[in-house]
Amino acid sequence: MNSSLYIILVPALLVAAGYVFVLRYMGYAPGYPRLIIAMTLFFGAIYWLGRRASRKARSNQP
């Protein structure tokens, strides 16, 4: 589980950093509230799906 979390987490953080960098380079304000909301939803979905998958795995075992 830990390695799969890093496979998702590292690219997501790189994309977020790229988002901020590119928008600053172009002269736009990067919209931090929107970025924070998107990151919260993303990590919430990962957490929810992780718990859901583990529950399904436990219920399928005899």
Side-chain angles (χ1 to χ4, degrees):
M1 173 72 179
N2 288 338
S3 64
S4 63
L5 182 65
Y6 291 128
I7 290 171
I8 299 297
L9 185 63
V10 170
L13 291 175
L14 290 173
V15 168
Y19 171 76
V20 171
F21 176 75
V22 167
L23 286 177
R24 280 193 176 183
Y25 182 74
M26 291 172 51
Y28 295 112
Y32 291 112
R34 188 172 38 169
L35 179 63
I36 292 170
I37 291 169
M39 287 178 62
T40 303
L41 289 173
F42 178 75
F43 290 121
I46 289 175
Y47 177 74
W48 179 69
L49 289 173
R51 289 182 46 91
R52 185 173 160 218
S54 67
R55 263 191 260 144
K56 278 188 174 181
R58 274 188 270 139
S59 66
N60 290 337
Q61 291 178 349

